[in-house]
Amino acid sequence: VGGAVGGAVGGAVGGAVGAVTPGGTKYVLPPRIASDGQHDDDMIDIFNLVLDLSNPDEREAALLELSKKRETVPDLAPILWHSVGTIAALLQEIVDIYPLLTPPKLKAHASNRVCNALALLQCVASHPETRTLFLNAHVPLFLYPFLNTVSKTRPFEYLRLTSLGVIGALVKMDDSDVINFLLSTEIIPLCLRIMETGSELSKTVATFIVQKILLDDLGLNYICATYERFYAVSTVLSNMVAQLVEQPSQRLLKHIIRCYLRLSDNPRSREALRSVLPEPFRDGTFASYLKDDRDITTKRWLNQLVTRIMAPEAYDASQGQAQMVQQHHIPAAAQQHQQQQQAAAAA
């Protein structure tokens, strides 16, 4: 653990582990750190709770208390990562739930408990000192079975949402190493399915994750590299737009528009969008939803998107291009798909 405070914390936790007796007696903070003051008393409580994570009889209560304190203890993530056996205990909580996923047997109590463990992992994922260690250990892969569930009961929905929160904490840091790691996994298909079938909140977080992946050049190039990837993302986004016409959500609409706008930054993707951009974006359906001052940014993004797609010559000229970008295999395939859909509808 880096820094003076981190060093003291690391030493205290290390000393604490060595001082636990077979009977589970609490350790005594080393004299060099046990100065009087409220801060030290609070940290003693944190250390003892971390130790309780390694005790199966005390773990559930410790998970609950630590999850409540994760926003108020800046060094909690390094404490969790560097203390002996703590991450293993959190992963054990996750693995213990796997047998309840298929067939779906997860109940509220078990869901709440594992979600408290996931909340602590989110703390580790978002901390700059532990984020890379978290990725290098491939800890996010332990969450993918949760994201792959389809049950719509509240315990499963809560489980998926909290798991998405861990991934969301990673992508929020705007770190290309995070994006590179996620692209090597199945996170995009998992998010796309949740974007179609999840609750509004789960859809919002999953769409945010896809948005952050797209905002990184690695992510944009990956999704636009083949028509299959582009089509998978654009189809889900289009279906979501159709759902929003019936059940509006300004927060979700904002993320969807930002995804489309970012896709339009890629020349081949921009050409394809001219064939597959949802009609509600073209005809002003959402104008009435974007009148609030809080929606100024979303409205600007939508206007930029429509200008790029519906007035391509003007946009290309503004980019210093004399001619429109030549069509590649993505727009050609998009046009072919649209023609097939029209023929099927006519039949």
Side-chain angles (χ1 to χ4, degrees):
V1 183
V5 174
V9 168
V13 173
V17 172
V20 174
T21 68
T25 303
K26 300 288 187 178
Y27 74 98
V28 177
L29 199 64
R32 62 183 183 278
I33 305 177
S35 58
D36 55 354
Q38 184 62 36
H39 177 73
D40 288 339
D41 292 340
D42 291 341
M43 292 310 298
I44 291 174
D45 291 339
I46 295 297
F47 298 148
N48 282 326
L49 287 170
V50 171
L51 286 176
D52 286 342
L53 292 176
S54 297
N55 183 344
D57 295 332
E58 303 288 345
R59 185 179 299 164
E60 183 173 2
L63 287 170
L64 178 59
E65 290 304 314
L66 285 171
S67 67
K68 294 177 181 178
K69 297 177 181 293
R70 67 185 189 278
E71 301 291 342
T72 59
V73 182
D75 285 316
L76 181 57
I79 294 172
L80 293 171
W81 186 266
H82 293 289
S83 55
V84 177
T86 299
I87 298 300
L90 296 179
L91 293 180
Q92 186 63 54
E93 289 292 309
I94 291 173
V95 174
D96 284 347
I97 296 298
Y98 288 171
L100 304 179
L101 303 181
T102 307
K105 298 179 181 178
L106 186 65
K107 302 301 181 183
H109 179 266
S111 177
N112 291 338
R113 175 167 173 163
V114 72
C115 285
N116 286 333
L118 291 171
L120 296 183
L121 289 180
Q122 179 175 336
C123 173
V124 175
S126 60
H127 196 285
E129 289 187 29
T130 53
R131 183 170 63 250
T132 300
L133 298 171
F134 186 82
L135 284 178
N136 290 343
H138 290 192
V139 175
L141 298 182
F142 284 86
L143 280 56
Y144 285 16
F146 298 161
L147 298 178
N148 201 35
T149 59
V150 295
S151 173
K152 295 185 179 295
T153 63
R154 182 169 294 183
F156 277 95
E157 181 60 33
Y158 186 33
L159 181 64
R160 282 191 296 269
L161 181 60
T162 312
S163 300
L164 285 170
V166 178
I167 308 300
L170 285 171
V171 299
K172 195 174 182 180
M173 298 298 108
D174 295 323
D175 186 339
S176 289
D177 289 338
V178 171
I179 303 303
N180 191 46
F181 170 82
L182 293 176
L183 291 177
S184 69
T185 70
E186 295 298 310
I187 191 61
I188 292 178
L190 290 171
C191 283
L192 291 179
R193 185 165 69 178
I194 294 173
M195 287 162 63
E196 280 202 295
T197 63
S199 66
E200 180 183 333
L201 192 52
S202 290
K203 287 181 179 180
T204 302
V205 179
T207 307
F208 170 77
I209 292 170
V210 172
Q211 172 189 318
K212 297 298 283 187
I213 291 174
L214 279 168
L215 288 174
D216 189 282
D217 287 342
L218 286 173
L220 180 63
N221 293 335
Y222 176 87
I223 289 176
C224 296
T226 69
Y227 174 69
E228 289 73 21
R229 293 174 187 168
F230 167 83
Y231 176 70
V233 173
S234 63
T235 299
V236 170
L237 290 174
S238 180
N239 292 339
M240 295 177 72
V241 171
Q243 293 171 3
L244 287 180
V245 173
E246 302 297 328
Q247 298 178 321
S249 167
Q250 293 181 338
R251 180 170 52 180
L252 186 53
L253 178 62
K254 176 180 180 180
H255 292 305
I256 293 172
I257 292 174
R258 189 64 186 94
C259 286
Y260 271 114
L261 184 61
R262 179 55 173 163
L263 283 171
S264 72
D265 285 337
N266 180 277
R268 291 186 298 170
S269 175
R270 186 164 62 249
E271 287 290 329
L273 287 175
R274 287 164 189 163
S275 300
V276 300
L277 188 71
E279 189 62 29
F281 284 165
R282 302 172 186 264
D283 63 16
T285 296
F286 294 110
S288 60
Y289 303 145
L290 301 176
K291 292 182 177 180
D292 196 289
D293 290 342
R294 295 171 298 179
D295 301 321
I296 292 177
T297 299
T298 306
K299 187 174 182 179
R300 184 177 72 249
W301 287 343
L302 180 57
N303 289 336
Q304 289 175 346
L305 173 64
V306 172
T307 299
R308 290 184 184 184
I309 304 307
M310 299 183 67
E313 295 87 351
Y315 174 74
D316 291 338
S318 71
Q319 299 300 304
Q321 299 175 357
Q323 297 178 346
M324 291 177 59
V325 181
Q326 294 181 348
Q327 289 188 344
H328 294 270
H329 68 279
I330 286 183
Q335 291 174 350
Q336 181 181 10
H337 175 74
Q338 186 183 43
Q339 291 170 357
Q340 291 173 346
Q341 282 187 323
Q342 293 173 344

